[in-house]
Amino acid sequence: MTSEMVQTDTLRVVIVDDTADLRELLRFALIRGGMTVVGEAGDGQAGIEMVRETVPDIVLLDLSMPVMDGLEALPHIRALAPEARIIVLSGFEAAQMAERAMATGADGYLQKGTSLGRILDTIRDIVDGRPIGPVPVDTSTRISLAPTTSRPRVAPAPVVEPSALDALSLAPFGVIEVRAEPPYRLVSINEAARAIIDAEARVGEPLHSINPEIAAAIVNTRLTGDVEFEATLHDSPIQVTLRHSATSLLLYLQEIGEALGQVRNAIATTAHEIRGPVAVLCAITETLLEDDLEQVHVDRMLHSISRQARLLDGITGDLLVAAQVQRGTLRIDSQDIDPAVVVEAVIEDQPLHTSLVEVSDRRWIRADPLRLQQMLGNLISNAHKYGEPPVRIRIRPSTEHDCLVCIDVEDQGSGVPEEFRPHLFREFSRAGGTAKVGTGLGLHVVQTLAQGQGGLISYAPGRSGGSVFTLSLPEALHRNDER
């Protein structure tokens, strides 16, 4: 939250948005448009305090933010600054959100993706008393910034290189492995598959005794390639995908209704998560096309491009892991590595946030360095997104298993609601009422990768509030003094 002394003969603006790079771009453009930005905030609660402190003429208010969203903050801002003009910015559900925002006290509504020229014109129209309604996105220009006039702890797995099936055992869809020749005896079955078929299944048992319909479908199917077909279990349709491994057949089971729902939710939430960084990148690109930008502004925008590109890389990385798990192609390249070095690298990739690091265990661990960076990136990013500072990362010995090294990521927020904790690591799961939507994949990916490396992830409430996520991984195969 920042503020500055300003002149009194220009429109004074407060920007409330949780994307720091977008706030910077808006500030840059509004100043070039003849306005003065008197303060910024990254969530609704901080925005209320900033408005209380500065009493601006204009408030640009994002709707989807952590701590307190824009709709909740709006009436408080209206009460603190009754003469101010409040313009709501949002990246989704334009008509519905516009109606709710206007009913709550907004003077205007603009979608993210609207050109800056339209944003500035809307501000001026509102100040001049001309009625303003929701403005459609200008898809030809996008955002143009050109100037205008817990899970229970379990014993760790042995330190071995995991196979694809290690990760598939954790998948939220059913996976059954049977021998490739009749009578297709059971080799393994994960918990999701047991829940779907709702039947006892023992290793070595013929598939037809577990589920005759699926067994019959396999017999009647050419076993020369991957095949998809539908079956009926307990009067409910189910999608079955048959794939081949070297010595067995893999059956992927998913209830069709659930699958369609997950796909729709995944598309909607992922699109929402991606749209913000893409809007910022488009804005920066158009701004950099200007010939009269000072080098200091160019440098700051290039840093913004790097941050937003890394954010997109994290989202697509989680999607890729989820796809690799489903296809059985997830690969882990475990090595002996220093976890402190990886922690520092992840923190350096998040320059807008401050994290405190404490190291009480100097042992190296056995892990895939890129996967570890992905896991820690998700945990630290979540701590900053959903929690409150300070965020602490502790590398310490496990109190339960001598062969494990623990990495705690702790924030000081409100913690995870107790009723949601059993669903915390499930694919596409999100706590109800969470202002920051997210893809619902991050923690699931962390759990999948941790288990695939012989480790585990757990959650516990903080001693003084907040959340503590603990990533536990096996110590290195060789002692530090042997390297």
Side-chain angles (χ1 to χ4, degrees):
M1 186 170 65
T2 60
S3 63
E4 57 187 68
M5 298 300 293
V6 298
Q7 302 175 358
T8 58
D9 56 350
T10 61
L11 289 175
R12 305 166 68 252
V13 185
V14 164
I15 304 171
V16 186
D17 192 291
D18 64 324
T19 303
D21 288 329
L22 183 57
R23 293 200 307 269
E24 181 174 353
L25 289 167
L26 286 172
R27 179 178 68 250
F28 173 76
L30 293 172
I31 291 173
R32 285 166 65 88
M35 302 181 194
T36 303
V37 177
V38 297
E40 300 177 22
D43 61 74
Q45 184 172 313
I48 291 172
E49 295 305 314
M50 180 54 62
V51 170
R52 189 195 309 274
E53 177 184 338
T54 60
V55 192
D57 304 307
I58 302 293
V59 179
L60 296 181
L61 180 65
D62 187 21
L63 289 183
S64 178
M65 295 181 291
V67 183
M68 179 185 292
D69 64 29
L71 285 176
E72 186 178 356
L74 201 157
H76 299 282
I77 292 175
R78 170 59 67 211
L80 288 171
E83 302 300 321
R85 298 297 185 263
I86 303 174
I87 300 175
V88 172
L89 299 172
S90 184
F92 59 98
E93 298 179 349
Q96 177 185 357
M97 300 306 291
E99 183 178 345
R100 292 180 61 189
M102 299 293 246
T104 311
D107 295 285
Y109 176 93
L110 288 167
Q111 278 186 269
K112 290 180 180 178
T114 303
S115 69
L116 182 71
R118 188 182 294 277
I119 291 177
L120 297 179
D121 288 343
T122 299
I123 291 175
R124 296 185 179 109
D125 285 344
I126 291 175
V127 170
D128 292 340
R130 288 187 284 273
I132 297 295
V135 180
V137 173
D138 183 348
T139 56
S140 64
T141 58
R142 306 302 299 166
I143 300 181
S144 172
L145 295 187
T148 64
T149 119
S150 122
R151 60 191 295 277
R153 289 185 180 271
V154 296
V159 182
V160 295
E161 301 300 324
S163 68
L165 290 178
D166 292 329
L168 290 175
S169 66
L170 305 169
F173 47 84
V175 182
I176 298 176
E177 182 184 15
V178 297
R179 296 193 181 279
E181 68 281 350
Y184 310 116
R185 296 187 181 277
L186 182 67
V187 175
S188 66
I189 180 171
N190 70 354
E191 291 302 318
R194 290 185 185 275
I196 292 173
I197 65 175
D198 191 24
E200 292 292 330
R202 295 179 296 275
V203 173
E205 187 175 4
L207 181 60
H208 66 77
S209 65
I210 299 172
N211 189 277
E213 183 174 351
I214 295 179
I218 292 178
V219 171
N220 295 327
T221 300
R222 289 181 176 270
L223 299 180
T224 57
D226 294 350
V227 179
E228 293 186 357
F229 57 89
E230 290 188 13
T232 301
L233 296 178
H234 315 299
D235 298 323
S236 298
I238 186 170
Q239 182 75 30
V240 181
T241 302
L242 172 65
R243 294 197 174 111
H244 297 260
S245 69
T247 60
S248 62
L249 303 177
L250 292 175
L251 300 170
Y252 298 76
L253 314 179
Q254 193 159 32
E255 295 169 330
I256 292 178
E258 176 187 1
L260 290 176
Q262 286 187 342
V263 168
R264 293 191 183 103
N265 288 337
I267 291 173
T269 57
T270 302
H272 183 269
E273 287 293 291
I274 289 175
R275 186 173 184 181
V278 168
V280 174
L281 290 173
C282 291
I284 294 172
T285 302
E286 294 182 11
T287 304
L288 289 175
L289 294 176
E290 295 298 313
D291 296 330
D292 58 346
L293 294 180
E294 297 180 6
Q295 187 60 43
V296 63
H297 294 305
V298 173
D299 291 342
R300 292 172 70 93
M301 291 180 188
L302 290 175
H303 284 298
S304 294
I305 289 175
S306 177
R307 286 191 292 270
Q308 296 301 316
R310 285 196 297 268
L311 180 58
L312 286 173
D313 183 64
I315 295 172
T316 55
D318 288 346
L319 291 170
L320 179 60
V321 168
Q324 288 173 332
V325 169
Q326 184 173 11
R327 296 173 182 172
T329 60
L330 181 65
R331 295 292 180 263
I332 305 291
D333 179 20
S334 293
Q335 306 171 23
D336 290 353
I337 58 174
D338 184 351
V341 173
V342 181
V343 168
E344 292 296 337
V346 173
I347 292 175
E348 288 178 5
D349 280 344
Q350 301 186 5
L352 295 179
H353 302 301
T354 301
S355 302
L356 307 176
V357 180
E358 304 170 9
V359 180
S360 60
D361 190 340
R362 296 289 178 178
R363 287 180 296 170
W364 284 27
I365 62 174
R366 183 72 175 170
D368 184 324
L370 295 179
R371 301 299 190 184
L372 178 59
Q373 192 164 358
Q374 183 177 3
M375 291 187 288
L376 290 173
N378 277 336
L379 293 176
I380 296 174
S381 176
N382 280 354
H384 287 292
K385 182 186 294 186
Y386 299 104
E388 295 179 12
V391 173
R392 300 181 185 274
I393 298 100
R394 289 186 295 269
I395 304 175
R396 60 173 179 83
S398 172
T399 58
E400 298 185 11
H401 304 288
D402 292 340
C403 62
L404 290 182
V405 176
C406 294
I407 305 175
D408 296 330
V409 178
E410 179 178 10
D411 65 69
Q412 304 301 313
S414 57
V416 177
E418 186 172 356
E419 64 275 10
F420 181 67
R421 293 172 192 173
H423 311 284
L424 195 55
F425 299 101
R426 293 182 182 174
E427 190 179 32
F428 302 125
S429 63
R430 291 169 299 277
T434 302
K436 271 287 186 182
V437 179
T439 62
L441 278 175
L443 290 177
H444 170 72
V445 165
V446 172
Q447 183 190 58
T448 300
L449 294 177
Q451 292 281 0
Q453 297 172 85
L456 55 92
I457 179 73
S458 62
Y459 165 82
R463 288 172 293 182
S464 57
S467 299
V468 181
F469 286 90
T470 300
L471 178 62
S472 304
L473 292 167
E475 65 176 325
L477 296 178
H478 304 286
R479 294 170 53 88
N480 290 13
D481 55 11
E482 296 176 355
R483 282 185 290 270

